[in-house]
Amino acid sequence: MKALSYSPDLKGYSKLFRSLGKDERLFPTHVSLFSGLFIFWQRSGYQRPFKISRSGLMATSRIASTATYQKCIKELRDFGYIIYQPSYHPTKASTVDWPENWKVNDTASHVGNSITL
């Protein structure tokens, strides 16, 4: 039996994922997209940063609307869950990385929603 390959960063990812449930700003589409990002990260061999495609993430996350995808990925970036570098070129992939020290940068303007990890 082949041993499973895993990244030491999985504990950090797990911390981020648990914080999603505590964040009242997020909806199921955010969680679904975040899960899709994990799949893309895993498929990349846990490279950081890793490449993504909008169409692939939308299919994996079961998001049908491009507007919803754009809104959710922007909010995940703005809320500090991901570092997103969009590519505006049709044949070049965008990239995503996880925040430093796996901590959510809670600098977005909102009331009463602090995140403790």
mmCIF file of all heavy atoms in Angstrom, residues 68-92:
data_model
loop_
_atom_site.group_PDB
_atom_site.id
_atom_site.type_symbol
_atom_site.label_atom_id
_atom_site.label_comp_id
_atom_site.label_asym_id
_atom_site.label_seq_id
_atom_site.Cartn_x
_atom_site.Cartn_y
_atom_site.Cartn_z
ATOM 1 N N THR A 68 -21.373 35.488 -8.864
ATOM 2 C CA THR A 68 -21.249 34.930 -7.508
ATOM 3 C C THR A 68 -19.824 34.481 -7.245
ATOM 4 O O THR A 68 -19.268 34.730 -6.167
ATOM 5 C CB THR A 68 -22.222 33.747 -7.323
ATOM 6 O OG1 THR A 68 -23.556 34.222 -7.515
ATOM 7 C CG2 THR A 68 -22.091 33.125 -5.944
ATOM 8 N N TYR A 69 -19.208 33.829 -8.220
ATOM 9 C CA TYR A 69 -17.811 33.408 -8.080
ATOM 10 C C TYR A 69 -16.912 34.616 -7.812
ATOM 11 O O TYR A 69 -16.114 34.605 -6.878
ATOM 12 C CB TYR A 69 -17.349 32.671 -9.339
ATOM 13 C CG TYR A 69 -15.858 32.479 -9.381
ATOM 14 C CD1 TYR A 69 -15.255 31.428 -8.705
ATOM 15 C CD2 TYR A 69 -15.043 33.368 -10.084
ATOM 16 C CE1 TYR A 69 -13.875 31.263 -8.723
ATOM 17 C CE2 TYR A 69 -13.667 33.206 -10.112
ATOM 18 C CZ TYR A 69 -13.088 32.159 -9.433
ATOM 19 O OH TYR A 69 -11.730 32.006 -9.448
ATOM 20 N N GLN A 70 -17.047 35.656 -8.640
ATOM 21 C CA GLN A 70 -16.212 36.844 -8.486
ATOM 22 C C GLN A 70 -16.416 37.498 -7.127
ATOM 23 O O GLN A 70 -15.457 37.919 -6.477
ATOM 24 C CB GLN A 70 -16.500 37.858 -9.610
ATOM 25 C CG GLN A 70 -16.083 37.398 -10.977
ATOM 26 C CD GLN A 70 -14.575 37.270 -11.111
ATOM 27 O OE1 GLN A 70 -13.808 37.815 -10.327
ATOM 28 N NE2 GLN A 70 -14.146 36.526 -12.121
ATOM 29 N N LYS A 71 -17.670 37.578 -6.694
ATOM 30 C CA LYS A 71 -17.980 38.181 -5.402
ATOM 31 C C LYS A 71 -17.346 37.374 -4.269
ATOM 32 O O LYS A 71 -16.699 37.933 -3.377
ATOM 33 C CB LYS A 71 -19.494 38.247 -5.211
ATOM 34 C CG LYS A 71 -19.943 38.759 -3.853
ATOM 35 C CD LYS A 71 -21.472 38.675 -3.749
ATOM 36 C CE LYS A 71 -21.960 39.101 -2.402
ATOM 37 N NZ LYS A 71 -21.696 38.136 -1.339
ATOM 38 N N CYS A 72 -17.487 36.064 -4.308
ATOM 39 C CA CYS A 72 -16.984 35.214 -3.225
ATOM 40 C C CYS A 72 -15.459 35.200 -3.173
ATOM 41 O O CYS A 72 -14.877 35.283 -2.092
ATOM 42 C CB CYS A 72 -17.528 33.794 -3.366
ATOM 43 S SG CYS A 72 -19.270 33.661 -2.974
ATOM 44 N N ILE A 73 -14.805 35.095 -4.310
ATOM 45 C CA ILE A 73 -13.343 35.046 -4.284
ATOM 46 C C ILE A 73 -12.773 36.391 -3.837
ATOM 47 O O ILE A 73 -11.798 36.450 -3.092
ATOM 48 C CB ILE A 73 -12.728 34.545 -5.607
ATOM 49 C CG1 ILE A 73 -11.304 34.051 -5.336
ATOM 50 C CG2 ILE A 73 -12.747 35.604 -6.697
ATOM 51 C CD1 ILE A 73 -10.809 33.009 -6.270
ATOM 52 N N LYS A 74 -13.428 37.470 -4.246
ATOM 53 C CA LYS A 74 -12.993 38.804 -3.810
ATOM 54 C C LYS A 74 -13.178 38.949 -2.297
ATOM 55 O O LYS A 74 -12.303 39.469 -1.607
ATOM 56 C CB LYS A 74 -13.782 39.877 -4.551
ATOM 57 C CG LYS A 74 -13.428 41.296 -4.140
ATOM 58 C CD LYS A 74 -14.346 42.288 -4.827
ATOM 59 C CE LYS A 74 -14.097 43.705 -4.398
ATOM 60 N NZ LYS A 74 -14.351 43.978 -2.995
ATOM 61 N N GLU A 75 -14.303 38.486 -1.773
ATOM 62 C CA GLU A 75 -14.545 38.600 -0.336
ATOM 63 C C GLU A 75 -13.600 37.700 0.465
ATOM 64 O O GLU A 75 -13.116 38.119 1.526
ATOM 65 C CB GLU A 75 -16.008 38.295 -0.021
ATOM 66 C CG GLU A 75 -16.912 39.403 -0.482
ATOM 67 C CD GLU A 75 -18.383 39.131 -0.281
ATOM 68 O OE1 GLU A 75 -18.780 37.965 -0.049
ATOM 69 O OE2 GLU A 75 -19.159 40.096 -0.364
ATOM 70 N N LEU A 76 -13.316 36.492 -0.019
ATOM 71 C CA LEU A 76 -12.343 35.648 0.673
ATOM 72 C C LEU A 76 -10.986 36.350 0.731
ATOM 73 O O LEU A 76 -10.288 36.284 1.741
ATOM 74 C CB LEU A 76 -12.216 34.285 -0.014
ATOM 75 C CG LEU A 76 -13.370 33.313 0.191
ATOM 76 C CD1 LEU A 76 -13.174 32.066 -0.670
ATOM 77 C CD2 LEU A 76 -13.529 32.937 1.656
ATOM 78 N N ARG A 77 -10.637 37.038 -0.351
ATOM 79 C CA ARG A 77 -9.387 37.818 -0.358
ATOM 80 C C ARG A 77 -9.487 39.000 0.603
ATOM 81 O O ARG A 77 -8.618 39.201 1.443
ATOM 82 C CB ARG A 77 -9.090 38.324 -1.771
ATOM 83 C CG ARG A 77 -7.786 39.132 -1.836
ATOM 84 C CD ARG A 77 -7.703 40.010 -3.041
ATOM 85 N NE ARG A 77 -8.749 41.030 -2.956
ATOM 86 C CZ ARG A 77 -9.291 41.619 -4.010
ATOM 87 N NH1 ARG A 77 -8.901 41.309 -5.222
ATOM 88 N NH2 ARG A 77 -10.225 42.529 -3.856
ATOM 89 N N ASP A 78 -10.544 39.765 0.507
ATOM 90 C CA ASP A 78 -10.704 40.959 1.340
ATOM 91 C C ASP A 78 -10.779 40.630 2.831
ATOM 92 O O ASP A 78 -10.313 41.405 3.662
ATOM 93 C CB ASP A 78 -11.957 41.740 0.928
ATOM 94 C CG ASP A 78 -11.837 42.382 -0.444
ATOM 95 O OD1 ASP A 78 -10.713 42.420 -0.994
ATOM 96 O OD2 ASP A 78 -12.875 42.827 -0.972
ATOM 97 N N PHE A 79 -11.371 39.482 3.164
ATOM 98 C CA PHE A 79 -11.495 39.068 4.557
ATOM 99 C C PHE A 79 -10.227 38.390 5.070
ATOM 100 O O PHE A 79 -10.145 38.031 6.234
ATOM 101 C CB PHE A 79 -12.690 38.142 4.755
ATOM 102 C CG PHE A 79 -14.031 38.768 4.428
ATOM 103 C CD1 PHE A 79 -15.100 37.966 4.089
ATOM 104 C CD2 PHE A 79 -14.228 40.138 4.454
ATOM 105 C CE1 PHE A 79 -16.343 38.511 3.787
ATOM 106 C CE2 PHE A 79 -15.460 40.703 4.150
ATOM 107 C CZ PHE A 79 -16.522 39.878 3.813
ATOM 108 N N GLY A 80 -9.255 38.181 4.197
ATOM 109 C CA GLY A 80 -7.968 37.653 4.616
ATOM 110 C C GLY A 80 -7.827 36.141 4.602
ATOM 111 O O GLY A 80 -6.844 35.616 5.119
ATOM 112 N N TYR A 81 -8.771 35.429 4.008
ATOM 113 C CA TYR A 81 -8.678 33.973 3.970
ATOM 114 C C TYR A 81 -7.717 33.474 2.895
ATOM 115 O O TYR A 81 -7.187 32.374 3.003
ATOM 116 C CB TYR A 81 -10.059 33.347 3.742
ATOM 117 C CG TYR A 81 -10.924 33.421 4.973
ATOM 118 C CD1 TYR A 81 -11.843 34.450 5.143
ATOM 119 C CD2 TYR A 81 -10.808 32.474 5.977
ATOM 120 C CE1 TYR A 81 -12.625 34.535 6.272
ATOM 121 C CE2 TYR A 81 -11.592 32.547 7.118
ATOM 122 C CZ TYR A 81 -12.497 33.579 7.258
ATOM 123 O OH TYR A 81 -13.258 33.662 8.386
ATOM 124 N N ILE A 82 -7.539 34.255 1.845
ATOM 125 C CA ILE A 82 -6.644 33.862 0.756
ATOM 126 C C ILE A 82 -5.867 35.080 0.275
ATOM 127 O O ILE A 82 -6.263 36.226 0.514
ATOM 128 C CB ILE A 82 -7.403 33.243 -0.444
ATOM 129 C CG1 ILE A 82 -8.395 34.238 -1.050
ATOM 130 C CG2 ILE A 82 -8.068 31.938 -0.058
ATOM 131 C CD1 ILE A 82 -9.050 33.774 -2.351
ATOM 132 N N ILE A 83 -4.781 34.804 -0.413
ATOM 133 C CA ILE A 83 -4.047 35.830 -1.152
ATOM 134 C C ILE A 83 -4.286 35.493 -2.611
ATOM 135 O O ILE A 83 -3.816 34.465 -3.105
ATOM 136 C CB ILE A 83 -2.548 35.802 -0.798
ATOM 137 C CG1 ILE A 83 -2.360 36.064 0.694
ATOM 138 C CG2 ILE A 83 -1.777 36.815 -1.645
ATOM 139 C CD1 ILE A 83 -0.983 35.734 1.207
ATOM 140 N N TYR A 84 -5.061 36.326 -3.265
ATOM 141 C CA TYR A 84 -5.520 36.054 -4.629
ATOM 142 C C TYR A 84 -4.864 37.019 -5.598
ATOM 143 O O TYR A 84 -4.946 38.229 -5.413
ATOM 144 C CB TYR A 84 -7.043 36.200 -4.674
ATOM 145 C CG TYR A 84 -7.665 36.116 -6.041
ATOM 146 C CD1 TYR A 84 -7.492 34.992 -6.840
ATOM 147 C CD2 TYR A 84 -8.457 37.152 -6.519
ATOM 148 C CE1 TYR A 84 -8.078 34.913 -8.092
ATOM 149 C CE2 TYR A 84 -9.057 37.085 -7.764
ATOM 150 C CZ TYR A 84 -8.868 35.958 -8.549
ATOM 151 O OH TYR A 84 -9.452 35.882 -9.779
ATOM 152 N N GLN A 85 -4.214 36.468 -6.598
ATOM 153 C CA GLN A 85 -3.602 37.275 -7.650
ATOM 154 C C GLN A 85 -4.300 36.929 -8.967
ATOM 155 O O GLN A 85 -3.986 35.922 -9.595
ATOM 156 C CB GLN A 85 -2.100 36.987 -7.749
ATOM 157 C CG GLN A 85 -1.383 37.842 -8.768
ATOM 158 C CD GLN A 85 -1.494 39.328 -8.457
ATOM 159 O OE1 GLN A 85 -1.268 39.763 -7.342
ATOM 160 N NE2 GLN A 85 -1.856 40.106 -9.448
ATOM 161 N N PRO A 86 -5.273 37.764 -9.372
ATOM 162 C CA PRO A 86 -5.994 37.447 -10.607
ATOM 163 C C PRO A 86 -5.114 37.644 -11.836
ATOM 164 O O PRO A 86 -4.212 38.475 -11.851
ATOM 165 C CB PRO A 86 -7.158 38.438 -10.600
ATOM 166 C CG PRO A 86 -6.714 39.563 -9.740
ATOM 167 C CD PRO A 86 -5.750 38.982 -8.744
ATOM 168 N N SER A 87 -5.389 36.852 -12.834
ATOM 169 C CA SER A 87 -4.752 37.026 -14.132
ATOM 170 C C SER A 87 -5.833 37.510 -15.087
ATOM 171 O O SER A 87 -6.877 36.888 -15.188
ATOM 172 C CB SER A 87 -4.193 35.699 -14.646
ATOM 173 O OG SER A 87 -3.832 35.832 -15.998
ATOM 174 N N TYR A 88 -5.564 38.585 -15.729
ATOM 175 C CA TYR A 88 -6.564 39.118 -16.658
ATOM 176 C C TYR A 88 -6.294 38.641 -18.076
ATOM 177 O O TYR A 88 -6.923 39.098 -19.009
ATOM 178 C CB TYR A 88 -6.586 40.645 -16.560
ATOM 179 C CG TYR A 88 -6.933 41.102 -15.163
ATOM 180 C CD1 TYR A 88 -5.964 41.588 -14.306
ATOM 181 C CD2 TYR A 88 -8.235 41.005 -14.690
ATOM 182 C CE1 TYR A 88 -6.283 41.984 -13.015
ATOM 183 C CE2 TYR A 88 -8.558 41.394 -13.406
ATOM 184 C CZ TYR A 88 -7.591 41.892 -12.576
ATOM 185 O OH TYR A 88 -7.898 42.275 -11.297
ATOM 186 N N HIS A 89 -5.395 37.694 -18.204
ATOM 187 C CA HIS A 89 -5.058 37.122 -19.505
ATOM 188 C C HIS A 89 -5.855 35.830 -19.674
ATOM 189 O O HIS A 89 -5.881 34.993 -18.773
ATOM 190 C CB HIS A 89 -3.555 36.836 -19.577
ATOM 191 C CG HIS A 89 -3.073 36.539 -20.946
ATOM 192 N ND1 HIS A 89 -3.195 35.301 -21.514
ATOM 193 C CD2 HIS A 89 -2.477 37.328 -21.862
ATOM 194 C CE1 HIS A 89 -2.691 35.324 -22.726
ATOM 195 N NE2 HIS A 89 -2.258 36.545 -22.958
ATOM 196 N N PRO A 90 -6.484 35.634 -20.823
ATOM 197 C CA PRO A 90 -7.367 34.469 -20.987
ATOM 198 C C PRO A 90 -6.664 33.115 -20.933
ATOM 199 O O PRO A 90 -7.305 32.106 -20.639
ATOM 200 C CB PRO A 90 -8.015 34.695 -22.351
ATOM 201 C CG PRO A 90 -7.186 35.704 -23.036
ATOM 202 C CD PRO A 90 -6.487 36.504 -21.983
ATOM 203 N N THR A 91 -5.366 33.062 -21.190
ATOM 204 C CA THR A 91 -4.681 31.765 -21.184
ATOM 205 C C THR A 91 -3.741 31.577 -19.991
ATOM 206 O O THR A 91 -3.128 30.527 -19.862
ATOM 207 C CB THR A 91 -3.883 31.550 -22.489
ATOM 208 O OG1 THR A 91 -2.895 32.576 -22.595
ATOM 209 C CG2 THR A 91 -4.805 31.587 -23.690
ATOM 210 N N LYS A 92 -3.616 32.587 -19.139
ATOM 211 C CA LYS A 92 -2.760 32.467 -17.955
ATOM 212 C C LYS A 92 -3.632 32.274 -16.720
ATOM 213 O O LYS A 92 -4.638 32.954 -16.540
ATOM 214 C CB LYS A 92 -1.887 33.705 -17.786
ATOM 215 C CG LYS A 92 -0.796 33.806 -18.814
ATOM 216 C CD LYS A 92 0.178 34.879 -18.419
ATOM 217 C CE LYS A 92 1.336 34.877 -19.399
ATOM 218 N NZ LYS A 92 2.357 35.826 -18.986
#
